[in-house]
Amino acid sequence: MSISACAISLCLQILYNYHLVKIADWTALMDTTGAVAFVATVLLIVTIILNAITLIVYRDYTVK
């Protein structure tokens, strides 16, 4: 579920950047690209870490 939420948020950000390119708002695109790249990277890393922790914690549990 968390990977899906991460993928949706990154997809929406890409669509927003596409919108800025489409309307030729170059200043907004130049102002936000660095922060967007940083936040997207942090979001992806945190999601991977949280899912890895969940896998480690629940690896021995089986459905009964």
Side-chain angles (χ1 to χ4, degrees):
M1 189 75 157
S2 65
I3 293 175
S4 297
C6 180
I8 290 169
S9 64
L10 292 174
C11 182
L12 290 174
Q13 187 58 51
I14 291 169
L15 290 173
Y16 178 68
N17 282 349
Y18 173 70
H19 169 72
L20 290 177
V21 169
K22 194 171 159 184
I23 65 171
D25 192 357
W26 304 115
T27 55
L29 196 59
M30 288 187 291
D31 287 344
T32 60
T33 300
V36 167
F38 174 74
V39 171
T41 304
V42 169
L43 175 67
L44 185 60
I45 290 170
V46 168
T47 301
I48 290 170
I49 290 171
L50 289 175
N51 283 308
I53 291 170
T54 303
L55 279 173
I56 291 168
V57 169
Y58 292 107
R59 72 177 167 212
D60 294 331
Y61 292 98
T62 58
V63 178
K64 294 180 181 180

